[in-house]
Amino acid sequence: MTADARPTPSSAYRSVNPATGRVLAEIPTATDGEVEQALAAADAAFRAWRARPIQERAAVATRAGELFAERAGELAAIITEEMGKPLSEARDEVEFCAEIFGYFAAQGPALAADESITASAGGRAVIQKRPVGVLLGIMPWNYPYYQVARFVAPNLVLGNTIVLKHAESCPRAALAIQQLLDDAGVPIGVYANLFASHAQVEHIIADPRVQGVSLTGSERAGAAVAEIAGRNLKKVVLELGGSDPYVVLDTADVQESARAAFATRMGNTGQACNSNKRMIVMADIYDEFLAELTRQAAALTPGDPAEDAPGTFAPLSSRAAAENLAARIQDAVDAGATLHAGGRLLEGPGAYLEPTVLSGITPEMAAHHEELFGPVAVVYRVADDDEALALANDTPYGLGGAVFSTDPARARKIAEGLECGMAAVNAAEAEGAEMPFGGVKRSGYGRELGPLGMDEFVNKRLLYVKDRPAGED
């Protein structure tokens, strides 16, 4: 996701409540000795962990899922304080982590089972899915638990070991995950949180004991990590930015459709890679749809995410993020876009930016091609299905996309043409532990979750057994 997971050189990990600006915790970056200790422990633990039956590894994952469910309240409170997620959404995130661990615990052994193939020369041939070794995970702040769970759960079950570098703004969440996995019975060295610096991350990727890297973050972070990994011939999974189209071809209730679109856009205060950042609406319903979006945005007032009161909006993850997004909104308006609601950065130490509705974005504007990571709804008017599809694909990103119509066949035709990794018809997204997640183009490559989530960091090894040695036929 566009939440940037790339560390600031020599920075300490710092937890700040974005609703108040209050510093909650500061943790120094790891020493080089601690980095070496973590890598050595992960490498040593890999041999014992992969040797355990997969059912035993799955049992540990089962317990981790149970602990996510049992600790949902306390875990949710941490990320509400640490990155401003409304409390109900924070709890939903934790409960989704329980689902993810439960899914891979239950389905992992079958997904990782040997697959027989026909050997034309006789004998028996199977494709085996074997763990590869130590993996580095680089995670962002916008979903502090979920992003970790979808990377960690399948790889724990597979038998890989993990060094995890979390975002600098989420150290308390990072420590909570470490404690939970320790309590679930994950052996020492199999999972290690590491408060690494940028320079140390480069060293870790280059280390020959590390066999792969998974990053969820910005294009900038993804390009930097992929470049380092490429030099060192390491497998990489990248989940980066998105500017997903949300195409409304027709609807039986325009205002309700607009309300649903706005609620989707406001999820996690707009800080989601696969959020509906571009709403593409047919001309005959456009005016009414835009008017309802504007009413929805204008009706919200700032609120405490810990209270999660109806009719309020939460802060962004940081004051710097809010300031950056406010500047980009103003740039769009200066270039000729129309501001229908919001766009104002509130005064004070908090990170509150009014929910915003923009129209009139043209291909000549930066906002047409960039991702606006926050509570901003950009709305486009189109005349027909062909124009809708062309506009939907006019983006450097290719994460997800959704198409809505009272005629599912019409919507599916458009969805079939979307250049993205995840397309949905009459739903904002397909969400579930069993649903693969990932994109194409500048949204990255590789998949997490579902059956494909077990296939990224594996040695898909061929084992061939000939019935008789050569010369004895």
Side-chain angles (χ1 to χ4, degrees):
M1 298 195 174
T2 295
D4 199 338
R6 184 179 179 182
T8 301
S10 303
S11 67
Y13 284 68
R14 194 164 184 258
S15 177
V16 179
N17 186 332
T20 64
R22 184 170 67 89
V23 177
L24 304 171
E26 290 188 276
I27 299 174
T29 53
T31 65
D32 290 345
E34 288 169 335
V35 171
E36 171 55 30
Q37 183 180 12
L39 290 174
D43 185 51
F46 171 60
R47 286 149 185 79
W49 184 241
R50 72 176 177 183
R52 291 176 64 170
I54 192 170
Q55 290 78 11
E56 290 186 14
R57 298 194 299 264
V60 174
T62 295
R63 183 56 185 148
E66 292 170 348
L67 289 177
F68 269 108
E70 292 171 13
R71 299 176 184 179
E74 61 188 88
L75 292 173
I78 290 172
I79 60 174
T80 293
E81 271 198 325
E82 197 158 56
M83 54 78 58
K85 191 185 299 287
L87 189 59
S88 61
E89 294 185 34
R91 191 178 184 96
D92 288 345
E93 179 180 338
V94 177
E95 291 172 351
F96 193 18
C97 293
E99 179 187 338
I100 290 168
F101 272 92
Y103 170 82
F104 285 108
Q107 303 299 324
L111 293 173
D114 292 352
E115 177 186 348
S116 295
I117 58 175
T118 301
S120 59
R124 289 159 290 158
V126 295
I127 297 172
Q128 300 174 314
K129 294 182 180 180
R130 299 293 183 87
V132 294
V134 182
L135 305 177
L136 171 64
I138 305 174
M139 297 293 119
W141 48 261
N142 57 336
Y143 289 91
Y145 301 130
Y146 160 65
Q147 306 283 5
V148 175
R150 70 186 196 186
F151 166 59
V152 170
N155 285 300
L156 281 181
V157 175
L158 279 166
N160 293 315
T161 57
I162 294 162
V163 174
L164 200 290
K165 182 254 172 269
H166 216 316
E168 286 79 5
S169 59
C170 294
R172 294 169 68 222
L175 292 172
I177 295 169
Q178 179 74 71
Q179 186 64 60
L180 184 148
L181 293 176
D182 289 347
D183 294 345
V186 175
I188 294 173
V190 172
Y191 177 90
N193 176 72
L194 191 62
F195 292 123
S197 69
H198 179 209
Q200 289 169 336
V201 165
E202 183 168 355
H203 166 76
I204 293 167
I205 296 172
D207 192 289
R209 291 167 292 190
V210 174
Q211 301 302 312
V213 187
S214 179
L215 177 137
T216 298
S218 70
E219 287 180 75
R220 178 173 65 91
V225 165
E227 191 272 331
I228 299 165
R231 288 202 313 266
N232 292 280
L233 300 178
K234 303 293 176 71
K235 169 72 180 287
V236 182
V237 168
L238 298 177
E239 200 275 276
L240 309 177
S243 189
D244 290 6
Y246 186 96
V247 182
V248 184
L249 301 174
D250 61 76
T251 174
D253 188 331
V254 177
Q255 292 187 13
E256 179 56 34
S257 293
R259 287 191 285 270
F262 184 76
T264 299
R265 187 67 188 100
M266 285 298 294
N268 203 28
T269 318
Q271 300 166 119
C273 57
N274 60 328
S275 185
N276 52 337
K277 300 186 179 78
R278 295 179 299 135
M279 301 180 193
I280 300 169
V281 184
M282 282 294 164
D284 60 333
I285 59 174
Y286 173 86
D287 289 339
E288 186 177 357
F289 189 96
L290 176 60
E292 182 60 27
L293 282 179
T294 302
R295 281 193 291 271
Q296 292 291 315
L300 295 180
T301 58
D304 183 346
E307 296 179 0
D308 205 4
T312 63
F313 64 90
L316 274 74
S317 64
S318 69
R319 182 72 185 181
E323 291 172 350
N324 177 268
L325 184 56
R328 294 173 72 181
I329 292 168
Q330 188 59 52
D331 286 346
V333 173
D334 291 344
T338 300
L339 178 67
H340 298 271
R344 185 171 64 96
L345 179 65
L346 302 188
E347 295 182 1
Y352 289 92
L353 176 71
E354 290 178 335
T356 302
V357 178
L358 290 172
S359 70
I361 300 290
T362 67
E364 295 73 32
M365 300 178 188
H368 182 80
H369 304 286
E370 296 177 350
E371 179 185 26
L372 298 178
F373 205 66
V376 182
V378 176
V379 194
Y380 293 86
R381 181 201 303 262
V382 291
D384 55 37
D385 291 15
D386 290 341
E387 185 182 359
L389 180 58
L391 179 56
N393 288 333
D394 185 19
T395 173
Y397 298 102
L399 191 54
V403 187
F404 293 81
S405 174
T406 56
D407 179 355
R410 180 188 179 195
R412 178 165 181 168
K413 183 178 179 181
I414 300 295
E416 291 280 6
L418 293 177
E419 298 167 355
C420 62
M422 304 173 288
V425 172
N426 288 336
E429 61 181 336
E431 184 176 83
E434 74 283 4
M435 298 289 187
F437 191 105
V440 296
K441 300 197 288 189
R442 296 193 70 82
S443 290
Y445 42 80
R447 295 294 182 269
E448 294 180 306
L449 298 179
L452 302 184
M454 292 286 288
D455 271 356
E456 292 294 347
F457 294 105
V458 292
N459 172 13
K460 298 173 186 176
R461 192 179 79 154
L462 171 66
L463 176 65
Y464 175 62
V465 180
K466 192 171 174 62
D467 293 330
R468 293 192 181 107
E472 296 184 10
D473 296 338

